[in-house]
Amino acid sequence: MTQPKSDAQILCKNVWKVFGPRPEQVRQLDAGLTKDEILAQTGHVVAVKDVSFEVQKGEIFVVMGLSGSGKSTLVRCISRLIEPTDGHVWVDGDDILAMSRKQLRALRRHKMSMVFQHFGLFPHRKIIDNVAYGLEVQGIKKAERHARAREVLELVGLAGWENHYPGELSGGMQQRVGIARALAVDPEIMLFDEPFSALDPLIRREMQDELLALQKMMHKTIIFITHDFLEAVKLGDRIAIMKDGQVVQIGTPAQVVMNPATDYVREFTKDVPRSRVITAQNVMQPPPVVASPTDAAEAVAQKLARFECVAACVQDEQGHFLGLLPREHLADPPQYNGDDLQSLLVDDCPTITPDTLLVELIRLTMNSDAPLPVINKQNRLAGVVDRSMVMAALATPAEAADSEEKPTLQ
Amino acid sequence: MINWQSLSSRAAVNKRDILALAALFVIIFLLPLLFAQLPLNVSHFPEALNLHLRQPIDQFQDWVVGHRATSPAFVYFFDPVSDAIDWGIRRAEDFLLGTPWPVILLAAFLLGQWAGGLRVALLSVAGLVFMGGVGLWTESLQTLALMLVAVLISLAIGIPLGILAARYDRLDSLLRPVLDAMQTMPAFVYLIPVLLFFGIARVPSVVATVIYALPPAIRLTNLGIRQVPGATVEAARSFGSTPRQTLVKVQLPLARPTIMAGVNQTIMMALGIVVIAALIGAGGLGREVLISLQRLRVGQGLMAGLAIVFMAIILDRISQGFARQELASTNRGAGRFVLLPQSWAKFGPARALEGLLQAGLRQAAAFARLLADGLASVAGAGLRLFGLNDAAAALASQFRRHSFFIGAVFLLAVALAVTAVFPAGDFPQAWQFDLTRPVDNAVSWMRDNLYQIGDLPLGTGPLSDFLVIYGLNPLRNFLQNWLPWPLVILGVTLLVYLAAGGRLAIFSAAGLFVIGLLGMWDMAMDTLSQVIVAVAVTALIALPLGVLSARSDAVELTLRPVLDLLQTIPPFVYLVPVIMLFNIGRVPGIIASVLYALPPGIRLTNLGIRQVSHSAVEASQAFGATGRQTLFKVQLPLALPSIMMGVNQIVMMVLAMVIISGLVGGGGLGLEAVTGLAKNQTGRGIEAGLAIVILAMIMDRATQAWVKRRQKYLK
Ligand SMILES: Nc1ncnc2c1ncn2[C@@H]1O[C@H](COP(=O)(O)OP(=O)(O)O)[C@@H](O)[C@H]1O
Ligand SMILES: [Mg+2]
């Protein structure tokens, strides 16, 4: 089947995986049954149920869910390490499920590589031969593949460990080897199956930071599996949340945190430090009063009074942001020359970008009643944020309903 | 909360057990009385039911003999295979016997050094010198040649089959029952068919050895590959490895230690039947033992037996050495003693000697490196002439890595050259020592003095009488004459039902009936009585010793070398000293069986108790239980599956040995099989063989199923 029109690098459509002797049969069952019901009735395990999503080039797409929710199975369906029962997977427009074994091997050798939860290193091979494994199976000469392996080891900070065996390394170092091994073949796509779950919290944080740093340089397309929602929020450009084989929500971390689709998702979001996830673009609202420099001062003043606003945003005809016009400047104009508002503008007012984090917004709005203009990359006004919006975002919908648990704000 | 359902089902099981036991009691004691009133004789299986299977088999044998030259099965399969094996064994023998003895000693030393260090090297040399010293040089090398050929064939078949079985579950489940059958079958059983089909010279003995030694090679290869963690294999696949790349680069290297353990077991198994193989044409040490047993020349038999034990120990240590090398080649740190026990390091002279030895080894290694470098530079210069600089560099590092090998080849070449100029001749007469005379004297002394110690009811004679009069005879009489045959079948069926459930019970009933149909009923009852007595004696010794060694490290440490030795000695060799003390008859078979089956019994009991989780024992102690209470209430019940596994092993090993002891007057099915073999009565031998297989299968499956049930309980 040809891929539907999409510019995604990876596209999964209605993917199913059923474990058991007669999976097709289960597929025909009423889709309304739950995983447990199907297991009780037929003895089949529905590991992945009708999952669709797409991953853009250069994106970190995180799949998050509790243990047993089907994450590992899903990610293996993408490289067909596990054969999906039904559905479609396209990578760069190629139908993975239609590939011959040989094509599939070529895909795994050159385009896609994987990092495993328990590292999956080869205990009988030296570090350098572990890292060079992918190149070795491609048939690349020893000198060449060792040179490449050294390069990658350097990159992950393991230069000098080439001739040790995996058993002599700590867990964190072993997973660096795992990452180096995946990087060595220079794949476009990397699949991470809970790579940091087996590590201590401190090491885990360090590895997360390094992964982000690497990604800044490499711009790989990454599917990253985790059961740790905080990790998902930290690493993911977008997150898919799985439960019992199904994807229950897909969105950016802020979207998920702000608007959890189900109670299940809401449970995870409770532990999240919202102020470090939510950004200005999630809380901003359209500015109530927008003026142009040619507007009459009286009209603007009237508008501000009507909306009970302290300042108006001023932009030129092209929509470029010029500055804030505070109400008191209109009431008591310092050097108003009568035909242009330009001279009244505060053009050095603090502005923010759409991805300014909520923590920053709290600091900025703490002492000021004036709205903060949100300026996007094109230097256009995207919206405004003021103290009341920040407050509203900090109070989650759940917490609003459940006032006992309402946290106190300093 | 109390789980009523499981309680009541427990109660139901108990009720069923009690009913069955009551029925057993009735069958054994009351019904025979009733049957005795009947006018017909039911104690022996009716002759009218005898199938006379031996007639068609004998006809088939005649046909085979008549058509060996013309039948395509022989012309295109059995004969070529036989010829190939015959060729192989001749080459191997010619090679070993054609090599001057000093070169063989040197080769053994180098092999031992390479595989396991100086200790193994010296042990190998000492073993060979013993073999030469007692005048068994030629015989030993003949046995070694047979071993080599049989083991090579076993590995050449077993390892690929194991690899395939690891790859294809279908093949695995197909092979499993076949291997089970091969391993439960006492070797006697297939001697006759093998002889029939591969009837040339020493070929049948090689084939029989291969059949016997093959299962561990297949099993452990399969196991080793399957044990490679799925995650590791998946990682290999995820990088686009082909199945062959995954096998060669990941699975096989990781399975290597297990495969090497399989190689070791294959070698040991092969050595285990050299004596039996001598029954069908193997020469060498096995034949020596066999002949001296038959002629009751104990001294001679003991020397040959000891030579076999030496060979077993040497081959065991060398192959284990290779297996360990795979695991940790870096483990031989500097300063570690190479010969003496490390704990002697506190003695000055020991340190001095070790210092000398290590210096010598270092010198040798340096010399080998020099040699390797020299060779590499010569060869490298040649390569450089053709502009192959990279190849020359690679060659140098390869040569250096294998400098031991290069040095060894050099030494051997020098030794060969020297012996070519100054022929070494036979193993020197001057080095020989005659131990047979003193041994024979010792034996007759023991016969005279240990058989009956003074007027006391002590000694091997009274022990032997006791076993016969109070154990073997009444039991045999009970099974053969007192219990009517239908009741034997019923009783066994009930027992198996209790232990293993309905399916196996039906199988057992049918099996026993077939034994009757084969006309082997009385012989089977004879064998059964011997097995029961030997198992009882073994269990009575093994279980307490196992418990003791689990509770005391000192006992375990003392027992360990004894058990190790017992397990390296090929089964037939036990018979030699036992015969010295107990004469021939059923008793030596029993004693040998006990010795043979003791080690696994003790080991598994010990292991089972030691494996009981520490927390369970701790919990028991925390409640103030005494050591004895903890043993009986916690450790033994939890160790039961392992102990029962030990019982299973005891039963199977005893059966194998009781059958073998047919050779020394043990009677029963073993004697029947031997007679068939000796008198070339194939039908008779095969009837006995079938009966043995059936008996073995019933015993093995029933005890195994019993273990499994118990394990399920504990989960
Ligand atoms: N090979 C298999 N055979 C049967 N069931 C499986 C197999 N692999 C996974 N499962 C089941 O599929 C479900 C999803 O497993 P998995 O994808 O490993 O979850 P996760 O990675 O999210 O922990 C689980 O219920 C698991 O028991
Ligand atoms: Mg998983």
Side-chain angles (χ1 to χ4, degrees), chain A residues 1 4 11-15 50-53 86-90:
Chain A
M1 199 170 136
L11 184 62
C12 283
K13 202 150 181 295
N14 308 110
V15 172
D50 202 14
V51 169
S52 305
F53 62 83
D86 199 3
H88 294 279
V89 179
W90 291 273

Side-chain angles (χ1 to χ4, degrees), chain A residues 129 136 174 213 305 320 326:
Chain A
D129 288 316
E136 186 178 332
Q174 290 194 31
H320 292 136

Side-chain angles (χ1 to χ4, degrees), chain B residues 26-370:
Chain B
V26 171
I27 288 170
I28 290 178
F29 295 104
L30 301 182
L31 280 184
L33 293 174
L34 238 168
F35 271 86
Q37 308 304 315
L38 297 179
L40 71 173
N41 176 4
V42 284
S43 60
H44 298 275
F45 202 87
E47 181 58 27
L49 288 181
N50 192 336
L51 285 179
H52 296 292
L53 191 65
R54 63 182 63 178
Q55 289 164 2
I57 294 176
D58 285 342
Q59 280 161 12
F60 176 69
Q61 183 190 15
D62 291 342
W63 180 89
V64 167
V65 171
H67 291 74
R68 190 164 266 156
T70 51
S71 154
F74 282 91
V75 174
Y76 296 111
F77 180 71
F78 290 114
D79 290 349
V81 171
S82 298
D83 290 342
I85 295 175
D86 191 50
W87 179 86
I89 196 162
R90 270 173 211 285
R91 284 291 86 71
E93 258 187 44
D94 289 351
F95 175 70
L96 285 177
L97 289 174
T99 309
W101 62 266
V103 180
I104 297 236
L105 285 188
L106 180 64
F109 179 88
L110 290 169
L111 196 63
Q113 171 71 29
W114 190 24
L118 194 60
R119 283 172 210 168
V120 178
L122 290 181
L123 182 76
S124 309
V125 172
L128 280 172
V129 168
F130 173 85
M131 295 171 205
V134 295
L136 291 171
W137 184 261
T138 309
E139 288 79 359
S140 300
L141 289 190
Q142 281 172 340
T143 295
L144 189 61
L146 186 134
M147 235 28 355
L148 280 180
V149 173
V151 167
L152 281 182
I153 296 177
S154 300
L155 297 181
I157 301 174
I159 292 180
L161 256 180
I163 291 174
L164 287 177
R167 177 93 165 270
Y168 301 105
D169 287 338
R170 179 76 59 87
L171 180 66
D172 184 34
S173 55
L174 221 99
L175 273 177
R176 199 164 290 246
V178 177
L179 295 180
D180 280 347
M182 280 167 83
Q183 288 194 308
T184 35
M185 234 191 284
F188 263 23
V189 173
Y190 42 78
L191 294 188
I192 293 176
V194 164
L195 197 56
L196 190 58
F197 291 113
F198 299 90
I200 313 172
R202 279 159 299 175
V203 174
S205 58
V206 173
V207 175
T209 308
V210 168
I211 296 177
Y212 190 67
L214 189 56
I218 301 179
R219 282 225 151 113
L220 285 166
T221 304
N222 182 5
L223 181 74
I225 294 177
R226 282 178 186 263
Q227 267 177 348
V228 173
T232 313
V233 175
E234 187 179 50
R237 281 211 298 147
S238 82
F239 284 97
S241 316
T242 60
R244 168 183 295 264
Q245 284 174 325
T246 308
L247 180 72
V248 174
K249 291 177 194 288
V250 177
Q251 290 170 302
L252 281 183
L254 286 174
R256 209 133 149 184
T258 316
I259 297 178
M260 284 308 292
V263 173
N264 172 271
Q265 278 199 24
T266 299
I267 295 175
M268 298 315 285
M269 299 275 289
L271 255 176
I273 72 159
V274 284
V275 181
I276 297 172
L279 279 173
I280 52 171
L285 297 174
R287 186 149 162 278
E288 277 306 295
V289 173
L290 200 63
I291 291 177
S292 34
L293 266 185
Q294 281 161 352
R295 300 190 186 152
L296 281 181
R297 290 196 194 140
V298 174
Q300 201 182 343
L302 195 66
M303 290 311 112
L306 280 176
I308 294 178
V309 173
F310 259 119
M311 191 174 291
I313 294 177
I314 294 170
L315 292 178
D316 184 44
R317 296 300 177 273
I318 289 182
S319 55
Q320 269 189 19
F322 279 123
R324 294 223 183 91
Q325 231 175 22
E326 305 297 343
L327 285 179
S329 49
T330 50
N331 238 357
R332 278 188 228 148
R336 289 196 59 83
F337 276 17
V338 289
L339 180 65
L340 303 174
Q342 192 70 40
S343 57
W344 289 11
K346 48 182 179 283
F347 304 119
R351 277 202 304 276
L353 175 64
E354 280 289 334
L356 272 178
L357 287 173
Q358 287 176 18
L361 288 177
R362 267 198 304 276
Q363 289 300 322
F367 172 71
R369 258 201 308 281
L370 214 63

Side-chain angles (χ1 to χ4, degrees), chain A residues 64 229 239-243 246-249 256 264-265 268:
Chain A
M64 186 268 154
F229 191 68
I239 306 176
I241 294 174
M242 283 187 81
K243 176 173 190 272
Q246 278 175 300
V247 169
V248 290
Q249 186 171 9
V256 172
Y264 178 79
V265 180
F268 292 118

Side-chain angles (χ1 to χ4, degrees), chain A residues 19 35 45-47 65-74 193-194:
Chain A
F19 288 110
K35 186 176 167 173
V45 178
V46 182
L66 294 181
S67 157
S69 57
K71 312 177 295 289
S72 297
T73 309
L74 176 63
D193 186 9
E194 302 205 27

